[in-house]
Amino acid sequence: MQLWLIVALIVVTISPLFIMRFIALENVEAQLRSKRMDELSSYALILSNQIMRSNYFAGDNQESVNNDLNQSASLYNARILIVNSDYKIVKDNYSTLDGTYSVSEETIRAMLGTEVRYYNEADGMLELAAPITSEDKQTVLGVLLFYSSTSDIVKTCQSISSSYTAITIGLAVLCVVLAGSMAYVFIKPLKRVTDSIDHMAEGHFDEEIHLRGFSELKRISDSFNTMLNKLRKLENSRQEFVSNVSHELKTPITSIKVLADSLNMQENVPNEVYKEFMRDIVEEIDRENSIINDLLSLVKMDKAVAELNISEVNINEMLELILKRLRPLASQRNIELVLESFRPVMAECDEVKLNLAFTNLVENGIKYNVAGGWVQVSLNADHKYFYVKVADSGIGIPEANQDQIFERFYRVDKARSRETGGTGLGLAITQNIVLMHDGAIKVSSKEDEGSVFVVRIPLKHKK
Ligand SMILES: Nc1ncnc2c1ncn2[C@@H]1O[C@H](COP(=O)(O)OP(=O)(O)OP(=O)(O)O)[C@@H](O)[C@H]1O
Ligand SMILES: [Mg+2]
């Protein structure tokens, strides 16, 4: 995980705690001060009543009031002064101001009958001036002055603040640890995926990955392995294709070399032998040429679907022409060629390519047939597709080989195909053309009975 992400996580988690800490502490301190002031005020009321009842200013019962006052003063951590109506301090629990005068603004305002509250922020002192009134509250007999230190309140707040800081730091550490462990849990498997992709990019397709943990990781490793398998298959077929191509291209050249060498080695070769060998050499050159042409058309088709040259094509006419062209080949082997059209079909397709695809199928029907057999081509359509069926009475294809006949260079009977000049590219080309048209091709066949190839092509081309 990126460092900035960890920092952002910590800032987002911790900053509200810090802000709350300041707001909360400010509030707590103010509330404690106000509570203390209320307590002082209540006590002032009790004390002023006691002073008024005991006739304190006349000198009566001073002892008991003073004792009370001293006790409360130490309880509230306060200095308490009793001032008489002449502004003379008659009692100071610190005993230093006895007999002096207090004419501060607070004393004067209290002498007028109002309680005065004041917080001296500089000294951290709560100051209260409360009037001592007569029983009917009409006359102010004197004033009580309280000076209470807030040091204990500050201490309480400081201790709350320290606990708060400790909790905040603890949370920050927890966040860092959590973020770190999350980074470890997330990054480690992703690193394995990256390593495997790098390994694959170097050309190794052997290493599957198996990530355990949450379901997304499992999905990543499944997708990766599926992709790896596909690439592996692709790589295998590429290698197989290259070795097949080399082999197929070398075969005619080897034959040509053998023929030419044997001519060279013989002295006084008769003219007929020369001619026969030359005919063989030309045949091999034609074969080489046809393999190269097939390969070129396959490579072209591998490139892109965009290369289709779409036009409105009369399929009935196309099939008639194909059969007309192949009739001489069929009659050589005494094979009957029949076309059965169920309806006129016009379709949007690449005429040249489809022509080649159907020619390949009919040609196969003739090539892999028995003397005196038949090949029947039929055309039908529904509202979406047209169907071309090529059935023959030929040698058939064993069940086990039916899946492979569409592979490049695949031939069921190598010797026989060579005899007939086949390279095993015809059906691969046909299937490619059909797929380019978003169509499908299917085969059903029985050995020694014949084969049926059905091609389905959409009437309208999907752009
Ligand atoms: N109608 C058929 N009947 C029996 N076997 C067939 C038929 N069509 C194809 N095959 C078998 O499938 C193989 C592959 O056919 P494909 O048309 O791809 O190649 P090919 O005919 O051998 O050579 P090419 O068509 O390139 O000249 C053939 O070699 C043959 O064994
Ligand atoms: Mg063929």
Side-chain angles (χ1 to χ4, degrees):
M1 202 183 293
Q2 307 273 347
L3 189 68
W4 65 263
L5 206 60
I6 298 177
V7 173
L9 200 73
I10 294 169
V11 169
V12 167
T13 332
I14 302 302
S15 48
L17 285 175
F18 270 106
I19 295 166
M20 268 165 61
R21 169 179 181 264
F22 284 113
I23 296 173
L25 278 182
E26 280 287 301
N27 242 326
V28 167
E29 207 175 324
Q31 274 191 10
L32 286 176
R33 277 200 304 268
S34 148
K35 195 167 162 259
R36 170 69 55 82
M37 194 66 105
D38 287 345
E39 280 170 17
L40 289 178
S41 169
S42 310
Y43 177 64
L45 195 66
I46 294 167
L47 193 61
S48 71
N49 273 337
Q50 220 178 334
I51 290 169
M52 179 265 291
R53 292 227 172 79
S54 63
N55 220 358
Y56 183 90
F57 291 118
D60 300 344
N61 299 314
Q62 280 190 343
E63 192 71 11
S64 84
V65 172
N66 286 347
N67 280 343
D68 249 30
L69 184 143
N70 285 334
Q71 262 180 21
S72 307
S74 67
L75 185 73
Y76 293 116
N77 193 16
R79 180 174 200 174
I80 306 175
L81 307 176
I82 301 174
V83 182
N84 69 11
S85 55
D86 299 329
Y87 295 90
K88 189 176 173 187
I89 296 167
V90 292
K91 172 69 186 162
D92 169 17
N93 64 318
Y94 284 16
S95 310
T96 53
L97 295 174
D98 287 329
T100 60
Y101 288 89
S102 165
V103 280
S104 65
E105 190 194 332
E106 290 80 35
T107 318
I108 296 167
R109 279 174 59 201
M111 214 54 100
L112 293 171
T114 35
E115 185 189 77
V116 182
R117 293 176 174 204
Y118 178 69
Y119 172 55
N120 189 337
E121 216 169 334
D123 305 343
M125 295 294 270
L126 290 173
E127 297 177 13
L128 176 83
I132 306 165
T133 52
S134 59
E135 196 154 11
D136 57 3
K137 310 258 184 247
Q138 296 302 313
T139 326
V140 177
L141 306 173
V143 166
L144 274 168
L145 292 175
F146 285 75
Y147 300 93
S148 171
S149 163
T150 56
S151 59
D152 56 331
I153 291 177
V154 173
K155 252 191 213 152
T156 309
C157 286
Q158 270 168 358
S159 107
I160 294 175
S161 165
S162 324
S163 319
Y164 219 105
T165 308
I167 291 171
T168 313
I169 290 171
L171 273 173
V173 171
L174 198 74
C175 272
V176 173
V177 171
L178 265 177
S181 348
M182 268 164 72
Y184 182 76
V185 168
F186 282 112
I187 286 171
K188 206 182 160 213
L190 291 182
K191 203 177 162 309
R192 275 192 60 198
V193 176
T194 323
D195 289 347
S196 300
I197 291 173
D198 287 345
H199 186 64
M200 203 171 76
E202 285 162 11
H204 309 282
F205 300 103
D206 48 342
E207 210 177 281
E208 289 200 353
I209 45 170
H210 296 283
L211 303 175
R212 268 182 296 273
F214 40 95
S215 57
E216 280 78 6
L217 277 181
K218 221 181 117 29
R219 287 234 307 267
I220 289 177
S221 71
D222 286 352
S223 306
F224 179 86
N225 292 339
T226 312
M227 181 184 71
L228 196 73
N229 278 331
K230 278 196 180 150
L231 282 175
R232 209 182 280 158
K233 271 194 196 145
L234 218 67
E235 176 61 13
N236 285 345
S237 79
R238 188 187 68 83
Q239 282 174 7
E240 199 182 317
F241 181 62
V242 170
S243 77
N244 279 340
V245 168
S246 336
H247 176 78
E248 293 300 325
L249 289 179
K250 261 173 82 180
T251 319
I253 289 177
T254 315
S255 308
I256 292 169
K257 188 165 164 41
V258 171
L259 289 165
D261 278 351
S262 61
L263 277 182
N264 272 339
M265 281 191 300
Q266 288 177 48
E267 300 263 324
N268 305 324
V269 185
N271 217 5
E272 299 83 67
V273 178
Y274 227 110
K275 274 202 167 157
E276 198 195 323
F277 274 42
M278 278 320 239
R279 259 198 310 277
D280 287 350
I281 287 176
V282 168
E283 239 173 55
E284 292 299 332
I285 290 173
D286 283 347
R287 192 172 147 69
E288 182 89 16
N289 203 21
S290 99
I291 297 173
I292 289 171
N293 281 341
D294 280 356
L295 279 174
L296 282 178
S297 50
L298 259 179
V299 168
K300 259 195 226 155
M301 273 179 286
D302 272 349
K303 269 197 192 152
V305 181
E307 285 183 13
L308 280 180
N309 190 3
I310 300 294
S311 62
E312 188 85 4
V313 178
N314 184 328
I315 306 295
N316 308 65
E317 266 178 24
M318 184 204 266
L319 292 175
E320 270 166 33
L321 280 172
I322 291 173
L323 263 64
K324 196 175 158 199
R325 253 192 304 118
L326 290 175
R327 206 145 264 140
L329 182 74
S331 47
Q332 269 177 19
R333 307 194 61 203
N334 199 18
I335 289 165
E336 191 190 2
L337 270 188
V338 192
L339 175 65
E340 196 180 12
S341 290
F342 288 93
R343 62 190 73 228
V345 177
M346 294 294 291
E348 291 173 3
C349 53
D350 185 319
E351 186 168 10
V352 177
K353 289 200 172 77
L354 268 195
N355 198 310
L356 177 63
F358 295 135
T359 304
N360 281 343
L361 291 180
V362 182
E363 212 178 73
N364 281 350
I366 298 168
K367 271 191 339 194
Y368 305 104
N369 216 318
V370 289
W374 50 261
V375 177
Q376 192 184 44
V377 181
S378 54
L379 170 66
N380 206 346
D382 55 25
H383 65 291
K384 247 180 135 178
Y385 301 98
F386 71 89
Y387 305 85
V388 173
K389 189 163 93 177
V390 181
D392 64 59
S393 59
I395 57 168
I397 306 158
E399 180 108 30
N401 305 113
Q402 286 178 14
D403 278 348
Q404 293 156 291
I405 54 171
F406 296 101
E407 288 171 14
R408 294 161 183 192
F409 295 111
Y410 186 82
R411 287 161 301 187
V412 177
D413 180 347
K414 307 270 184 295
R416 190 189 165 113
S417 296
R418 242 194 95 64
E419 224 173 79
T420 51
T423 53
L425 288 173
L427 284 179
I429 293 172
T430 301
Q431 191 188 39
N432 256 9
I433 294 172
V434 170
L435 293 181
M436 280 169 93
H437 281 84
D438 272 331
I441 180 164
K442 267 193 204 149
V443 60
S444 59
S445 180
K446 226 173 182 179
E447 259 188 293
D448 300 325
E449 281 184 24
S451 315
V452 182
F453 285 83
V454 180
V455 173
R456 188 192 74 190
I457 306 275
L459 292 168
K460 295 258 169 274
H461 178 68
K462 221 179 6 171
K463 278 156 202 106

